[in-house]
Amino acid sequence: VNVELINTGSELMLGRIVNSHQAWLCRRLADAGFLVNRQVAIPDNASAIRGALCDALKHAELVLMTGGLGPTSDDLTRDVVAELLGRRLIEDPDARANIEGYFSARQRPMPVRVLVQAMVPEGAIVLPNRNGTAPGLAIEIPERRFGPHASWLFLLPGPPRELHPMFAERVLPLLNEHFTASESFHCTTLRTCGLGESWVEDRLAPLFPPLVDRGLDVGYCARVGEVDIRLAARGPAGPDLLAKAADIVRSRLGEYIYGTDDDSLESVVIRLATERRARLAVAESCTGGLLANRLTDVPGASAVFWGGWVVYDNESKSSELGVNPGVFEEHGAVSEPCALAMAEGALARSGATHALAITGIAGPAGGTPQRPVGTVFIALAAPGIATVAREFRNPFDRSAFKYVTTQQALELLRRRLIAADPG
Amino acid sequence: VNVELINTGSELMLGRIVNSHQAWLCRRLADAGFLVNRQVAIPDNASAIRGALCDALKHAELVLMTGGLGPTSDDLTRDVVAELLGRRLIEDPDARANIEGYFSARQRPMPVRVLVQAMVPEGAIVLPNRNGTAPGLAIEIPERRFGPHASWLFLLPGPPRELHPMFAERVLPLLNEHFTASESFHCTTLRTCGLGESWVEDRLAPLFPPLVDRGLDVGYCARVGEVDIRLAARGPAGPDLLAKAADIVRSRLGEYIYGTDDDSLESVVIRLATERRARLAVAESCTGGLLANRLTDVPGASAVFWGGWVVYDNESKSSELGVNPGVFEEHGAVSEPCALAMAEGALARSGATHALAITGIAGPAGGTPQRPVGTVFIALAAPGIATVAREFRNPFDRSAFKYVTTQQALELLRRRLIAADPG
């Protein structure tokens, strides 16, 4: 199946936002066996939309287009498609009811123009939108209308929280009904933390050639402090190839692998903590709440996460966690003794089974020759075990610093949790 | 000038990475007066590269292509371009010297295959790469070769740290030299919070037509609880058009506008707090540290941010903030009395000038008929002023719930800070 993705949005062309749909949709489509051959972004104007649609329908059997279905004057997709296909726009009663229900549930007055979103080209399949007002549309286009083949055209809303569930619940089932994906596509990603990309590739690359000869595709994706190893293969031998390749990766990288596919370090930590009936507390200085935020991004975190402190200045480190002010005078707030005292204070105040503490210099200001920007100390305290602290140097911009530092803290906790027997 | 951007990379089509080049290049090009009309992503194979290039050169006078210039077997751009243009590849001595210098400076042995990167199509302008080994290439293509017009084709390396300086130092000067006719481009975005997209457009759209007739372009970009109004215009009248349009937006939306362009609510709040010598503390339940994290994303936050608490369970709300356990029994933890007690407890413990407190149900579990998932109470306490609390209903998925809730809290604080005179 030849697949093309079209993203509309003038703000994309102005470079004011990142096109997150491209990665999200390409990934889900690839995982379902529909590899996108071409992705196109165009501005919100009728001639660009018309041109891109004609072009895509000429050579693709499956065309997905995002955006331009809303109620405002720059939402033109609905009209352009109806005109291009020579179909009337008619009101869909279910779509209208959904729009009216959306506003009444929120006790907000409904501007009458939002009802334009209930107008759909005759013959289109209406895909209900459970997080918004604009329904998606699926339209079958007969052969020889644009290209030699028939095509399916999917028009999908732009907001991710409307698009994502609609794609999973409505689009994928229709795709599986109307297309027999040529060959099954299999893909798995093993995720590691704390290794460099060339180190990983040097360890693994010599072992893959026999599997690559049989159709394995290997990709490495590196971020700061993290390397993903992506394994992919097509056809019936795919699962076996992936299993053999994953065994190789596991045998060489072992404990550095924290998870697979959509696992995050925080989701793995919450899972391990739940299995071991742990209770977690965190005390953050330079990461400013990011560690707590990541842990509480995981549904079910409340079962194991007691809470935490953002102790951004020395006074709060003392008043909330009981850090002796002498520590600041003797060692400074960015020091191993301070990290240890913060972790122990957090453990004592919370009654948790594990307390993580972070203190460091995020920058851009605040560095000294002895403690340059990027210096960080992470400590982990647990009842009955000596509190440990580790020093890291993360000389990155502010947001990368915060992210990498929380990765290191989560990894420290993950290894401790793994070492403990599950309850 | 008709501009097209082509990004090559099979990992883009698999959706395993986000196409960061699109936003980065589109923005820099737009700011220099070159609005991209179409952006295309294709896999690393010769026929896709050939097809996309022919297509683009047919209708664009300026084509930029990223990726595929490296030394490995999936780097095909150089060969495909030479073949398509019927030009020989010849070794460029400066490019070769740069590659050799790159390895000798790093005291690393030079694999001989990297020298392929010094091969350039005859007649191309070589753009030195000061952070890598693959030079960029600029090629002038005469009229009637692909389209009726002449075109410039730029081939640029994929890694951002090679692409970004090359674009600024080499590509922009060439563009300004060869496309003198292009008009200046002006763009500003006004950012609002707390309004719906149709409400905003209903208020503004009737007032714009006289300016649109003179060349103003207006776009609306909506996220949950936020609407950006993007104003753009070309040519010498542009600044005046934008100023007049911005005046209209300000007169109609007034206090709902929290900032412009790259402003975020957190950066505006930190700026206002700094000007007013405020000191901020936060107490978060359901947002789990996101509010503190957003505030500490802003460089200089430490001057005004005391810190905060993530009080994820009732016990910590009492032990850390002094919330009377009777409040939970009588009203529940997700209630106005609890939010008020949290804010007042945070104010008292921290000695801050402003304390924000958030309590709510992020979901997916934990809702009741009376307090469904998405219910949230936000309170703001300040010395000498009655503590206020507001109730919101944010029935979104977990991450959207957390984000929208922190927007509402920041907006409450922004309005309070604005109302206070700057010190």
Side-chain angles (χ1 to χ4, degrees):
Chain A
V1 187
N2 198 327
V3 185
E4 182 158 333
L5 172 62
I6 304 171
N7 305 116
T8 67
S10 295
E11 67 282 7
L12 293 172
M13 312 321 288
L14 289 170
R16 261 57 191 181
I17 66 164
V18 166
N19 184 359
S20 60
H21 290 336
Q22 167 253 320
W24 197 90
L25 281 170
C26 283
R27 177 171 187 163
R28 265 90 202 153
L29 285 163
D31 288 349
F34 301 93
L35 196 55
V36 174
N37 300 81
R38 201 162 82 123
Q39 170 267 327
V40 176
I42 49 166
D44 298 311
N45 71 61
S47 76
I49 296 171
R50 203 179 296 118
L53 273 173
C54 288
D55 218 27
L57 291 168
K58 220 172 279 172
H59 49 253
E61 289 106 48
L62 171 58
V63 177
L64 299 102
M65 185 176 230
T66 62
L69 296 177
T72 69
S73 57
D74 56 1
D75 290 308
L76 303 170
T77 301
R78 193 183 301 104
D79 292 319
V80 170
V81 167
E83 183 214 314
L84 192 66
L85 300 180
R87 300 198 192 180
R88 286 189 312 145
L89 284 168
I90 51 176
E91 188 176 85
D92 182 78
D94 292 339
R96 182 184 175 124
N98 182 56
I99 296 169
E100 290 170 339
Y102 183 90
F103 281 90
S104 69
R106 283 157 184 79
Q107 297 174 320
R108 279 166 45 194
M110 183 182 76
V112 73
R113 57 210 304 246
V114 301
L115 288 176
V116 72
Q117 298 169 107
M119 301 299 289
V120 309
E122 224 170 350
I125 299 174
V126 177
L127 314 174
N129 185 341
R130 67 174 166 81
N131 284 323
T133 50
L137 299 167
I139 304 172
E140 189 170 15
I141 296 166
E143 56 186 27
R144 277 182 288 277
R145 180 79 180 77
F146 293 92
H149 45 73
S151 301
W152 273 94
L153 171 63
F154 285 82
L155 306 176
L156 302 170
R161 53 184 294 275
E162 302 177 24
L163 171 66
H164 294 183
M166 187 184 293
F167 182 82
E169 295 159 16
R170 303 289 173 166
V171 178
L172 274 184
L174 277 172
L175 292 184
N176 289 325
E177 185 181 327
H178 292 287
F179 295 98
T180 43
S182 47
E183 262 193 317
S184 58
F185 176 80
H186 309 274
C187 185
T188 188
T189 302
L190 287 98
R191 313 194 68 179
T192 71
C193 182
L195 301 172
E197 186 181 19
S198 21
W199 194 93
V200 169
E201 199 174 344
D202 286 350
R203 279 280 171 308
L204 297 179
L207 305 173
F208 284 138
L211 298 177
V212 169
D213 290 344
R214 291 174 50 204
L216 178 72
D217 180 47
V218 182
Y220 301 91
C221 181
R223 291 174 301 280
V224 182
E226 288 172 83
V227 181
D228 292 346
I229 299 105
R230 190 190 68 242
L231 308 168
R234 293 177 164 279
D240 179 57
L241 278 171
L242 291 202
K244 287 198 163 65
D247 281 349
I248 290 175
V249 178
R250 289 212 171 80
S251 72
R252 302 311 298 257
L253 306 183
E255 63 188 350
Y256 289 96
I257 301 165
Y258 67 79
T260 59
D261 299 319
D262 290 327
D263 283 340
S264 61
L265 256 179
E266 55 269 36
S267 69
V268 170
V269 160
I270 293 291
R271 189 171 68 225
L272 291 170
T274 306
E275 288 164 5
R276 283 152 179 79
R277 297 171 207 281
R279 191 121 186 97
L280 312 177
V282 300
E284 304 178 64
S285 180
C286 55
T287 51
L290 178 59
L291 180 57
N293 183 46
R294 290 182 61 181
L295 288 166
T296 60
D297 276 346
V298 183
S302 58
V304 296
F305 185 58
W306 177 86
W309 296 263
V310 181
V311 283
Y312 218 54
D313 70 10
N314 289 354
E315 186 205 301
S316 58
K317 290 181 184 73
S318 295
S319 67
E320 303 312 302
L321 300 172
V323 177
N324 188 324
V327 168
F328 308 132
E329 283 156 37
E330 201 178 332
H331 306 281
V334 180
S335 66
E336 184 174 309
C338 184
L340 292 169
M342 286 168 64
E344 285 167 3
L347 192 73
R349 278 204 71 93
S350 65
T353 62
H354 296 77
L356 272 173
I358 300 173
T359 180
I361 307 166
T368 66
Q370 258 188 313
R371 300 259 191 267
V373 167
T375 303
V376 66
F377 293 87
I378 303 176
L380 175 59
I385 302 177
T387 305
V388 295
R390 287 187 60 190
E391 180 176 357
F392 296 89
R393 194 64 54 92
N394 300 328
F396 311 126
D397 68 47
R398 197 173 172 94
S399 77
F401 169 89
K402 288 175 77 172
Y403 178 76
V404 170
T405 301
T406 56
Q407 284 292 95
Q408 291 157 342
L410 289 168
E411 177 64 2
L412 194 65
L413 178 54
R414 183 184 73 89
R415 296 218 177 190
R416 173 70 63 88
L417 287 168
I418 282 179
D421 267 335
Chain B
V1 187
N2 199 326
V3 186
E4 181 157 333
L5 173 63
I6 304 170
N7 305 116
T8 66
S10 296
E11 69 283 7
L12 292 172
M13 312 323 287
L14 287 170
R16 260 57 191 182
I17 68 163
V18 166
N19 184 0
S20 61
H21 290 338
Q22 169 253 321
W24 197 91
L25 282 170
C26 283
R27 178 166 191 165
R28 265 103 203 137
L29 285 163
D31 288 348
F34 301 92
L35 197 55
V36 174
N37 300 82
R38 201 162 82 125
Q39 171 267 328
V40 175
I42 48 167
D44 298 311
N45 70 61
S47 76
I49 296 172
R50 203 178 296 117
L53 273 174
C54 287
D55 218 28
L57 291 168
K58 220 172 278 171
H59 49 254
E61 289 106 46
L62 172 57
V63 176
L64 298 101
M65 183 176 231
T66 62
L69 296 177
T72 69
S73 57
D74 56 1
D75 291 308
L76 303 170
T77 300
R78 192 184 302 106
D79 292 320
V80 170
V81 167
E83 183 214 316
L84 193 66
L85 300 179
R87 300 197 191 182
R88 287 192 309 148
L89 284 168
I90 52 175
E91 188 177 85
D92 182 78
D94 292 339
R96 183 184 174 126
N98 182 58
I99 295 168
E100 290 170 339
Y102 183 91
F103 281 89
S104 69
R106 286 159 180 77
Q107 297 175 316
R108 281 165 45 194
M110 185 182 76
V112 74
R113 68 167 195 274
V114 302
L115 288 176
V116 72
Q117 298 171 105
M119 302 300 288
V120 309
E122 223 169 352
I125 298 174
V126 177
L127 313 175
N129 184 341
R130 66 174 167 80
N131 285 325
T133 51
L137 299 167
I139 303 172
E140 190 170 13
I141 296 166
E143 57 185 28
R144 276 183 288 277
R145 181 77 179 80
F146 293 93
H149 45 73
S151 300
W152 273 93
L153 170 63
F154 285 81
L155 306 176
L156 302 171
R161 55 188 293 275
E162 301 177 25
L163 171 67
H164 294 183
M166 187 185 292
F167 182 82
E169 294 160 15
R170 303 290 173 167
V171 178
L172 275 184
L174 277 171
L175 293 184
N176 289 324
E177 185 182 325
H178 292 287
F179 295 97
T180 45
S182 73
E183 277 188 309
S184 58
F185 176 80
H186 309 275
C187 184
T188 188
T189 302
L190 287 99
R191 314 194 67 179
T192 71
C193 181
L195 301 172
E197 187 181 16
S198 331
W199 194 95
V200 168
E201 197 177 350
D202 285 350
R203 280 282 171 306
L204 297 179
L207 304 173
F208 284 139
L211 298 178
V212 169
D213 289 345
R214 293 173 51 203
L216 177 73
D217 180 49
V218 182
Y220 302 91
C221 182
R223 293 174 299 282
V224 182
E226 287 173 85
V227 181
D228 292 346
I229 300 106
R230 191 189 64 245
L231 307 168
R234 295 174 162 276
D240 179 57
L241 278 172
L242 291 202
K244 287 197 164 66
D247 281 349
I248 290 175
V249 178
R250 289 212 171 81
S251 71
R252 301 312 299 258
L253 306 183
E255 62 189 351
Y256 289 96
I257 301 165
Y258 67 80
T260 58
D261 299 318
D262 289 329
D263 283 340
S264 61
L265 256 180
E266 54 268 37
S267 69
V268 170
V269 160
I270 293 292
R271 190 171 68 224
L272 290 170
T274 305
E275 288 165 5
R276 284 153 179 79
R277 298 170 205 282
R279 192 120 186 98
L280 312 176
V282 301
E284 305 178 63
S285 179
C286 54
T287 51
L290 178 59
L291 180 57
N293 182 46
R294 290 183 61 181
L295 287 166
T296 59
D297 275 345
V298 183
S302 58
V304 298
F305 185 59
W306 178 86
W309 297 263
V310 181
V311 284
Y312 219 55
D313 69 12
N314 290 354
E315 184 205 302
S316 58
K317 290 180 185 72
S318 295
S319 68
E320 303 310 304
L321 301 172
V323 177
N324 187 323
V327 168
F328 308 132
E329 283 156 36
E330 201 176 335
H331 306 281
V334 179
S335 66
E336 183 173 308
C338 184
L340 292 169
M342 286 168 64
E344 286 167 4
L347 193 74
R349 278 203 71 92
S350 65
T353 62
H354 297 76
L356 273 173
I358 300 174
T359 179
I361 307 165
T368 67
Q370 257 188 315
R371 301 258 191 266
V373 166
T375 303
V376 66
F377 292 88
I378 302 177
L380 175 59
I385 301 177
T387 305
V388 296
R390 288 187 61 190
E391 179 176 357
F392 296 88
R393 194 66 53 93
N394 300 327
F396 311 128
D397 67 45
R398 197 172 173 96
S399 77
F401 169 89
K402 288 175 78 171
Y403 178 76
V404 170
T405 301
T406 57
Q407 283 293 93
Q408 292 157 341
L410 289 169
E411 177 64 3
L412 194 65
L413 178 55
R414 183 184 74 88
R415 296 215 176 194
R416 172 70 64 88
L417 288 168
I418 282 179
D421 268 334

